[in-house]
Amino acid sequence: MTRKVMLNQSSHLRIDFIGDLALPSAEEVFLVENDHDYVRVCRVISDHFSTDSPLSIRVRKKNHFVWLRNFAEQIGLACTGGEKTARDVLADEWKVSLPDWLDDKTILDEKLLNLPIEAHLPETFQNRFLAHFFGADFQGGTLDAGNLSEIISILTTERATKCLSRNKLYTLSCHDILLSWRKN
C-alpha cells in the first residue's frame, strides 16, 4: 500500500551548501558533515511535514547537498537554497549588509566567520564589526553629542590605534561610518 503524504505548503525548507566555511553553531540550523548526519537530517525532513516552522540545513559536501535536495523533492517538499559563499554566510550569521570592498578572501583570511557575533537586528557590517571590538557606541549608525566623546576616546586608545594601523577592516569600516555620520 502506498502511503500518501500531505505536503504542508507553509513549511519552509532551506538547504545550503557551505563547503568548508567556518560556521558558528546555531541551534536552529542543522549541519550535515557526514553520512550519519545525512541520515539523521533525512528523518528531520520527513518529520517536517507536520510543522509550520522553518527548517534550515547547511551541508559541507556536494554529494550530501544534492542527495538532500533530491530527497526533499522525492517526498514532495519544496526547498530553497543553494551554494553559499563566505559573503553569504557572513551576511546571514551577522544579519548585516556587506560593503562591496569586503570579499570572500578577506572574510576567510580574517577568520570573520569564527567570531562569536551576537546578531538580533539587521545592521551594517561596519557598525557590527566595530561594535564587536570597540563597544556598543558604534551600533545604530548615528553620531551625536551623547556618544561623540566616547567614540573619540575609544578611537584614540592604544588598542584602537594599533588595530587601525595594522588591519584594513578597521580602517575601511571607520571610514565608511564616518562618511555615513557626515551625511546624517
Side-chain angles (χ1 to χ4, degrees):
M1 176 177 194
T2 305
R3 189 178 104 179
K4 192 169 188 173
V5 179
M6 292 295 290
L7 175 62
N8 183 346
Q9 292 298 336
S10 63
S11 295
H12 302 286
L13 174 61
R14 180 172 187 93
I15 303 172
D16 292 307
F17 173 72
I18 61 166
D20 292 331
L21 295 176
L23 183 64
S25 62
E27 290 179 23
E28 66 277 358
V29 176
F30 289 91
L31 181 62
V32 176
E33 296 185 283
N34 53 46
D35 290 344
H36 176 75
D37 293 340
Y38 166 76
V39 171
R40 182 178 53 88
V41 167
C42 283
R43 287 188 192 122
V44 170
I45 291 171
S46 295
D47 294 342
H48 190 65
F49 280 121
S50 61
T51 71
D52 285 333
S53 61
L55 178 61
S56 183
I57 301 166
R58 295 204 173 142
V59 184
R60 295 256 185 237
K61 296 178 182 174
K62 270 283 199 195
N63 60 323
H64 291 139
F65 172 70
V66 171
W67 293 351
L68 283 172
R69 291 186 60 96
N70 288 341
F71 176 73
E73 183 181 316
Q74 289 170 3
I75 64 171
L77 189 59
C79 66
T80 60
E83 189 165 341
K84 293 275 195 171
T85 65
R87 281 181 57 89
D88 297 329
V89 172
L90 185 70
D92 289 348
E93 291 300 312
W94 288 23
K95 292 183 179 37
V96 292
S97 56
L98 297 176
D100 292 337
W101 51 260
L102 186 59
D103 59 17
D104 288 329
K105 182 179 180 339
T106 303
I107 291 168
L108 296 173
D109 289 349
E110 296 296 326
K111 298 180 179 28
L112 295 178
L113 296 173
N114 296 336
L115 292 177
I117 299 293
E118 289 290 324
H120 302 289
L121 298 172
E123 182 67 83
T124 66
F125 166 81
Q126 297 90 324
N127 287 56
R128 181 124 317 129
F129 177 76
L130 292 174
H132 177 74
F133 289 101
F134 297 134
D137 288 310
F138 287 92
Q139 272 185 280
T142 59
L143 176 67
D144 55 35
N147 64 1
L148 178 60
S149 63
E150 186 63 29
I151 288 173
I152 291 172
S153 295
I154 291 168
L155 291 177
T156 56
T157 63
E158 183 179 335
R159 178 175 174 260
T161 304
K162 284 181 183 177
C163 290
L164 289 166
S165 66
R166 292 183 185 163
N167 190 307
K168 73 177 185 177
L169 289 179
Y170 294 96
T171 306
L172 291 169
S173 294
C174 282
H175 178 264
D176 288 356
I177 285 178
L178 291 172
L179 286 178
S180 73
W181 286 342
R182 185 176 173 196
K183 291 177 187 174
N184 298 333

